[in-house]
Amino acid sequence: MFIKNDINFYEFQGHIINREIFQINYNIAFDKFNNGYETDWVLCKKKIWDEGVVNNVPFDLHPQYINEYKQYFEPSNFYRNIVTICAVAKKDTVNSKKDYLDFLNKYIEYALKYSITKGKSRFVTYDFDLKRQGYMLTKRWVSAIGNGFVIRALIRVYLLKKNKELLDLIREYIRPFLSIQNSKKIVNGKWFTWIDDEGFIWFDEYPGDDGIPSLVLNGHIHAMHAIHCFLQILPECEERQYYLDLYQAAMTTMKFNSLKFRRYNKINRYSLREFNKSDYLPDRTVRQQKELYRVTNDSIFMKHAKSFENDINYFQNLNLK
């Protein structure tokens, strides 16, 4: 747990980090399609898997994963499918809940093939090389957003039928968030939680082979949502306090660093490492800042959202002239 040293600085696992206390609203579902994505999918129990390619799930993988990366698993696609399958399961009057749970368990077993364990921690892996602007991620790289999407998917299944084995698996995927790296001491192995020189905690989407984080805004916020979802299902205990403190620290990072992604009267930047790269989905930046406001009721996030929105509108209107 954090030990208070100064106004907003706390010691956590040997690090001094920034953390404010926010009043967290847990009555929020971050899933835009909370009741499942639009689909006419129905459960077919005859044939689920074939030659390593996922069949009979509502949504196909992005063609880039199949054709270029040669990886037949992608965490956000897994999450999207799980959300939808669980939603359909609740409404189905023909198939039993057991039929769906059997199907979901096989899907989870498949997902486990794309992970590695480090002690009691489990990392989602991306089994291909990825070249970014000026740095590389070598095959079997890991990502906070990858673990985040799998955590949120598993929580959906857990809410369908609670059991200790699944909760333990969720714990394996969330433990890596507690392994903190910094510029002064890079520990060999897998990591995606970073503390910068000002004591701010970041959940990194593309941790480089060189030990330098990408600091992607979208990746950090999606990973935060996973911890929020975990806190929703975890009873009061010492373990919960660890993740709550970490979540508060990650929220503090957003309060004081979100506007570093702003480019006045332009589309916001995607990453602080790829500093001149525009976000390819800037509207989500506005939406996500509003989500953080809903969680905390801190008006600073609405101010952030308005700043980003004004910049985007100015840029888009300028290009229409």
Side-chain angles (χ1 to χ4, degrees):
M1 256 184 295
F2 290 86
I3 302 171
K4 186 170 182 180
N5 289 323
D6 203 346
I7 299 174
N8 290 329
F9 291 93
Y10 291 75
E11 183 180 349
F12 181 63
Q13 296 187 347
H15 300 279
I16 305 299
I17 70 176
N18 263 303
R19 188 207 65 172
E20 282 194 6
I21 302 296
F22 300 88
Q23 297 302 312
I24 305 300
N25 179 2
Y26 294 108
N27 297 317
I28 291 177
F30 284 113
D31 314 320
K32 182 179 178 183
F33 301 92
N34 194 35
N35 295 316
Y37 290 72
E38 190 66 31
T39 178
D40 57 0
W41 179 85
V42 293
L43 179 67
C44 175
K45 294 172 286 183
K46 292 181 179 178
K47 191 174 184 182
I48 300 174
W49 318 113
D50 180 30
E51 297 178 359
V53 182
V54 179
N55 289 301
N56 194 33
V57 288
F59 303 101
D60 294 332
L61 280 168
H62 192 285
Q64 188 175 30
Y65 267 77
I66 297 171
N67 300 325
E68 181 180 348
Y69 300 152
K70 309 298 183 185
Q71 174 162 312
Y72 298 101
F73 176 79
E74 195 277 314
S76 65
N77 173 263
F78 176 69
Y79 166 74
R80 188 185 188 203
N81 279 314
I82 291 286
V83 167
T84 300
I85 295 167
C86 289
V88 174
K90 291 179 181 179
K91 297 183 291 186
D92 193 343
T93 58
V94 177
N95 297 290
S96 69
K97 183 185 287 188
K98 183 180 181 301
D99 291 334
Y100 281 95
L101 289 170
D102 288 345
F103 182 90
L104 288 164
N105 285 334
K106 290 178 181 178
Y107 196 11
I108 291 169
E109 287 174 13
Y110 180 82
L112 287 173
K113 296 177 181 179
Y114 294 91
S115 70
I116 57 171
T117 56
K118 180 183 176 183
K120 294 182 178 181
S121 298
R122 183 179 294 273
F123 293 82
V124 173
T125 56
Y126 296 78
D127 296 343
F128 52 88
D129 293 340
L130 185 66
K131 186 176 182 180
R132 304 293 297 176
Q133 289 185 0
Y135 66 104
M136 280 291 300
L137 288 89
T138 304
K139 183 178 180 179
R140 305 286 277 176
W141 54 277
V142 300
S143 171
I145 197 173
N147 269 54
F149 274 122
V150 170
I151 289 164
R152 291 167 69 185
L154 295 178
I155 287 173
R156 280 309 188 94
V157 181
Y158 178 77
L159 292 174
L160 198 63
K161 181 175 175 59
K162 297 179 180 180
N163 67 76
K164 182 180 181 300
E165 291 76 16
L166 188 53
L167 184 58
D168 287 343
L169 182 59
I170 294 167
R171 285 188 167 105
E172 288 183 22
Y173 277 106
I174 204 165
R175 282 193 190 105
F177 285 95
L178 295 173
S179 180
I180 301 172
Q181 307 298 313
N182 63 26
S183 60
K184 298 177 178 65
K185 184 180 181 182
I186 303 296
V187 178
N188 291 331
K190 305 299 183 184
W191 63 273
F192 50 61
T193 300
W194 175 266
I195 177 172
D196 68 20
D197 292 339
E198 295 180 277
F200 290 108
I201 287 289
W202 295 86
F203 302 140
D204 204 53
E205 186 167 351
Y206 299 109
D209 291 351
D210 54 7
I212 300 174
S214 57
L215 305 184
V216 175
L217 183 63
N218 177 61
H220 178 84
I221 292 175
H222 268 298
M224 284 178 60
H225 290 349
I227 296 179
H228 184 280
C229 293
F230 184 63
L231 292 170
Q232 287 176 313
I233 66 168
L234 203 62
E236 291 292 339
C237 59
E238 185 177 11
E239 176 193 21
R240 188 180 189 280
Q241 189 61 46
Y242 273 99
Y243 289 105
L244 175 58
D245 287 337
L246 190 65
Y247 181 74
Q248 298 269 22
M251 188 69 74
T252 304
T253 299
M254 289 294 88
K255 180 172 182 175
F256 292 99
N257 291 275
S258 288
L259 291 187
K260 289 182 179 179
F261 294 85
R262 186 185 180 196
R263 300 196 304 167
Y264 185 71
N265 285 344
K266 296 180 180 179
I267 300 299
N268 59 282
R269 54 181 53 91
Y270 176 73
S271 160
L272 295 186
R273 180 164 190 179
E274 300 170 55
F275 202 69
N276 295 317
K277 180 180 180 180
S278 298
D279 197 329
Y280 58 93
L281 291 173
D283 288 343
R284 71 180 171 194
T285 303
V286 177
R287 184 185 72 248
Q288 288 173 339
Q289 293 297 314
K290 291 179 179 179
E291 288 172 347
L292 299 185
Y293 169 72
R294 288 171 57 210
V295 175
T296 64
N297 202 35
D298 191 324
S299 61
I300 191 67
F301 293 113
M302 286 301 288
K303 292 176 181 177
H304 291 170
K306 190 63 177 176
S307 295
F308 286 121
E309 191 170 36
N310 288 342
D311 291 335
I312 293 166
N313 289 340
Y314 180 89
F315 180 83
Q316 291 176 341
N317 290 334
L318 188 67
N319 283 271
L320 288 175
K321 293 178 180 178

